[in-house]
Amino acid sequence: MSQARERGIPDATVARLPLYLRALNGLAERGTATVSSEDLAVAAGVNSAKLRKDLSHLGSYGTRGVGYDVQYLIYQISRELGLTQDWAVAIVGVGNLGRALANYGGFVSRGFRVAALFDADASVVGEHLVGMAVEHIDRLEEVIAARDVSIVVIATPAAAAQAVADRVITSGITSILNFAPVVLNVPDGVDVRKVDLSTELQILAFHEQRKADRESGSPIMAENLAEAMDA
């Protein structure tokens, strides 16, 4: 999907590029023309040495005493991430989460277009969201091909996710964003990004517990906390 992998940019760098892009867009919205590596690093939440190394993979080194041109760096990162073209996205599962994703206004401004919505529930099929009708899951392969879908978002219950993944992969999809609380088994060449909200909440709970322990002066052993998180 992006040029980054073809150019040999490290995966860890690719994972940080969206952070830089978000920070740069914020700067651009405030009318900032140039930014130092230190200020951009603070805005993105990384250290400046790591940021400079990451951006060097893009061939961007900034100007000594001036910094980086904000608009040009936005273009460079967008190009590497493949965001200078329009990517058609299908969302499978139009429950509460699927609806929220479909209505997210940030997709279009970031190079993504919701091209199809699918659900297995007959009471949902035919309903209109974001200017399009929800399709029945039986039409998955047909619609993916007809609308040139490149990325599929799976927002189904866990029990249905693997079967959906198998079908979209058979349809030629190689990029999946998975919100279902299950690990998908996919063949080589298929990229899956998993978004697990419960895991993220558990990590936050871990840090909250650590802070509470420090304040109370009675730390809990890490293994006991880990067991509590897994319970």
Side-chain angles (χ1 to χ4, degrees), residues 12-188:
T13 295
V14 174
R16 287 188 289 269
L17 291 181
L19 302 179
Y20 304 149
L21 186 58
R22 180 175 60 189
L24 287 162
N25 282 324
L27 291 168
E29 289 171 2
R30 295 192 292 274
T32 303
T34 59
V35 62
S36 68
S37 60
E38 289 78 10
D39 288 344
L40 181 54
V42 169
V46 302
N47 68 66
S48 58
K50 182 176 295 182
L51 178 140
R52 287 192 293 270
K53 183 175 181 181
D54 286 343
L55 297 185
S56 71
H57 289 294
L58 279 62
S60 186
Y61 299 92
T63 302
R64 184 178 296 276
V66 176
Y68 296 92
D69 181 291
V70 170
Q71 289 294 345
Y72 183 61
L73 194 51
I74 287 173
Y75 166 74
Q76 281 188 300
I77 295 176
S78 297
R79 181 189 61 193
E80 291 296 342
L81 290 174
L83 304 182
T84 53
Q85 58 183 298
D86 179 55
W87 296 101
V89 176
I91 298 175
V92 183
V94 190
N96 292 334
L97 177 58
R99 289 170 188 272
L101 294 170
N103 284 295
Y104 173 57
F107 281 139
V108 174
S109 64
R110 289 166 173 80
F112 303 96
R113 170 176 52 86
V114 177
L117 302 168
F118 298 97
D119 205 279
D121 187 343
S123 67
V124 175
V125 173
E127 184 177 341
H128 279 74
L129 289 174
V130 292
M132 71 183 67
V134 178
E135 310 277 354
H136 195 279
I137 192 69
D138 288 348
R139 299 193 61 213
L140 183 69
E141 293 83 357
E142 172 193 350
V143 174
I144 282 177
R147 300 184 190 171
D148 199 22
V149 170
S150 299
I151 301 170
V152 168
V153 177
I154 296 179
T156 66
Q162 184 64 56
V164 169
D166 292 342
R167 288 179 63 185
V168 301
I169 291 168
T170 300
S171 299
I173 297 297
T174 58
S175 295
I176 297 172
L177 181 61
N178 178 33
F179 281 89
V182 64
V183 176
L184 298 177
N185 295 312
V186 301
D188 291 340

Side-chain angles (χ1 to χ4, degrees), residues 174-223:
T174 58
S175 295
I176 297 172
L177 181 61
N178 178 33
F179 281 89
V182 64
V183 176
L184 298 177
N185 295 312
V186 301
D188 291 340
V190 176
D191 294 312
V192 176
R193 298 290 297 180
K194 179 173 172 54
V195 181
D196 190 328
L197 300 179
S198 64
T199 295
E200 298 302 323
L201 286 170
Q202 288 180 339
I203 292 171
L204 288 174
F206 173 86
H207 291 295
E208 283 298 309
Q209 183 65 59
R210 278 289 180 88
K211 286 182 282 188
D213 291 341
R214 285 196 295 268
E215 291 171 0
S216 67
S218 55
I220 296 177
M221 295 295 289
E223 59 267 26

